[in-house]
Amino acid sequence: MDDSQSMPIVEATGVSKRYGATIALHDARLRVVAGQSHALVGRNGAGKSTLVGLLTGLRAPDSGEIRFSGSPAPPLADRQAWRARVACVYQHSTIIPDLTVGENLFVNRHPSRHGFISWSALQRQARALLDQWDIGVSEHTRAGDLKVEARQLVEIARALSYGARFIILDEPTAQLDGEEIKRLFGRMRELQRGGVTFLFISHHLQEVYEICEAVTVLRDARHIVTAAVADLPKQALIEAMTGEQAGAGAADAASRTPIRDAKVALDVRDLAGEDFAGVSFAVRRGEVVGMSGSTSSGRIGVAEAIAGLGGYLSGSIRVNGKPVPPGDVPAALALGIGCVPKSRHKQGLVLPLSIADNATMTVARRLGPFGFLAPSRKRSMAENTIRSLGVVTEGPEQPVAALSGGNQQKVVMGRALATAPDVLVLMDPTAGVDVKSKEALLAIVERLRAEGRAILVVSGELEDLRTCDRVLVMRHGGIVAEHPAGWTDNALVASIEGI
Ligand SMILES: Nc1ncnc2c1ncn2[C@@H]1O[C@H](COP(=O)(O)OP(=O)(O)OP(=O)(O)O)[C@@H](O)[C@H]1O
Ligand SMILES: [Mg+2]
């Protein structure tokens, strides 16, 4: 079939969208051919999520037009008509945690007889839907107890049940580990064969090549190129995204002389908690240590214990010889521990507050209850964060809610750095960050290392781990391997997956 002839399942032409002074989209376009998985890529703040908002009828474009299978988009108020055409699975769940899976699937459209909800019918319908798409989740499970992977499948099933055959996945892999991503891709291929078309957003460009046939690149709110992925090699894709020649990539630790005699800054001994036990390691000043493992390996539990975000049951954590009490963030901060948490929404940012307030929150906290940060100081610290991390924003007073996902992540990083901590714990620090900004973030890690700080990078991303002097691998709650810098991707992946 000739692509240019076939009917697009969705087509946006000349769409523009403005938020105050920010032009989020300018005369952009997108054409997705039915049956072809289509990638939407671009740097942080390029306008991807804004376009998704227009394609799902969350907002109307200021100008331009959206058509589904050749017909104009329904009016915004007709939610049912939109749901029958398109759905988006976001990084943040749109399911209600306290309801069961079955209730979530048929919430607001409970099968009713004479005005009464028929619970047995609801359960039966939910089971039939889950079976139809071969989703191995019980309809009775509380939705809040689902893992990210299962939650995404339930959301896809819900979209399909409304009749939509066009599904947008906005960074679906950001919170999944290698095995889970493989399963998601397998599932996407099956659904594609069953007549579902995907629009796929990711900052992991290799995934674009793995799962998509076509790709559209946005840059600075504009459409740059649409091509078959086979016709756009990775270098060309990065150049389209950045508008410049591709850079050298992040520093690789393999060329550094290993650190042996620097002072130990972080010392973890025989640490045990809810999902880990017997964890011992040390990080010296000027050393970057990686900690990897699947999402259920316990690595996040260990990282959160060190940062005071989570507790521990036995063992010890010491920073410069001083004990870190369990589950006490202010104490951890006071001892000189900085942290980029796993979930920027749950533990990271206060969305309605400004960049300046968010970026300096840890400083104010470290100054104690009577601590006071002069507004001019606050502003200059925030401006420094914006400049050094390349946050795309109108300025320090803008609320973080108005920033794109990747730019929010940069503010979280800036906040961790604001107290000039001796020990930095970074959990998936580049999640949602574009390729180019990733290099900038990792360059900052390198600078901090050179300043003599001790850094623990807890991540499932190989790119994040390449700057590490050594990488510890966790499995089933314990450290099972240590790889000095210079490891091969295959060796590390095998170790993480336990093959
Ligand atoms: N509600 C809002 N108010 C003000 N500005 C906004 C709002 N939502 C988005 N923007 C701005 O619009 C621009 C595009 O943002 P968008 O979220 O579409 O980027 P994105 O391509 O999805 O980036 P990322 O990869 O970081 O998720 C950004 O400059 C962002 O700050
Ligand atoms: Mg986005």
Side-chain angles (χ1 to χ4, degrees), residues 5 11 22 40-41 50 59 62 92 114 126 133 184 257 277 285-286 290 298 323 330 339 372 388 425 456 463 466 484:
Q5 299 298 310
E11 184 163 30
T22 307
L40 181 62
V41 301
T50 303
R59 291 187 187 80
D62 298 336
H92 312 294
H114 315 302
W133 299 103
L184 173 69
T257 350
R285 300 184 45 139
C339 152
F372 174 73
S388 63
V425 180
L456 182 66
E463 292 311 313
R466 248 180 265 288

Side-chain angles (χ1 to χ4, degrees), residues 142-306:
R142 186 181 159 273
D145 295 335
L146 292 178
K147 289 182 66 184
V148 178
E149 185 185 12
R151 193 260 294 165
Q152 289 179 339
L153 292 180
V154 168
E155 292 196 43
I156 291 175
R158 184 174 58 179
L160 295 169
S161 73
Y162 279 107
R165 290 296 176 270
F166 173 51
I167 295 183
I168 304 173
L169 303 173
D170 194 348
E171 297 186 46
T173 60
Q175 289 178 56
L176 302 181
D177 65 33
E179 284 294 310
E180 292 166 333
I181 292 172
K182 265 186 231 163
R183 286 199 292 268
L184 173 69
F185 285 1
R187 194 41 81 86
M188 282 175 69
R189 289 194 187 95
E190 282 167 28
L191 288 169
Q192 209 185 339
R193 282 195 291 275
V196 179
T197 305
F198 289 99
L199 182 68
F200 178 79
I201 299 180
S202 175
H203 289 294
H204 300 134
L205 299 182
Q206 76 281 3
E207 295 175 354
V208 167
Y209 289 92
E210 201 177 326
I211 199 73
C212 295
E213 281 96 39
V215 56
T216 289
V217 180
L218 296 181
R219 182 172 81 230
D220 297 336
R222 286 170 170 79
H223 175 272
I224 300 299
V225 65
T226 296
V229 291
D231 297 338
L232 198 67
K234 196 162 171 192
Q235 282 307 321
L237 178 59
I238 293 176
E239 284 173 25
M241 288 171 63
T242 61
E244 31 189 284
Q245 301 269 306
D252 192 320
S255 56
R256 288 204 291 264
T257 350
I259 300 202
R260 294 226 170 71
D261 43 13
K263 248 184 88 196
V264 168
L266 171 68
D267 190 42
V268 175
R269 281 298 135 226
D270 218 13
L271 199 68
E274 218 164 88
D275 64 346
F276 53 90
V279 173
S280 299
F281 65 95
V283 185
R284 296 178 184 276
R285 300 184 45 139
E287 194 181 27
V288 188
V289 173
M291 180 172 272
S292 199
S294 70
T295 48
S296 57
S297 64
R299 65 178 161 93
I300 296 296
V302 171
E304 291 185 341
I306 296 169

Side-chain angles (χ1 to χ4, degrees), residues 19 22 24 43-50 171 203 402-407:
Y19 295 104
T22 307
R43 296 196 58 186
N44 297 131
K48 302 179 297 296
S49 296
T50 303
E171 297 186 46
H203 289 294
L403 297 182
S404 76
N407 285 302

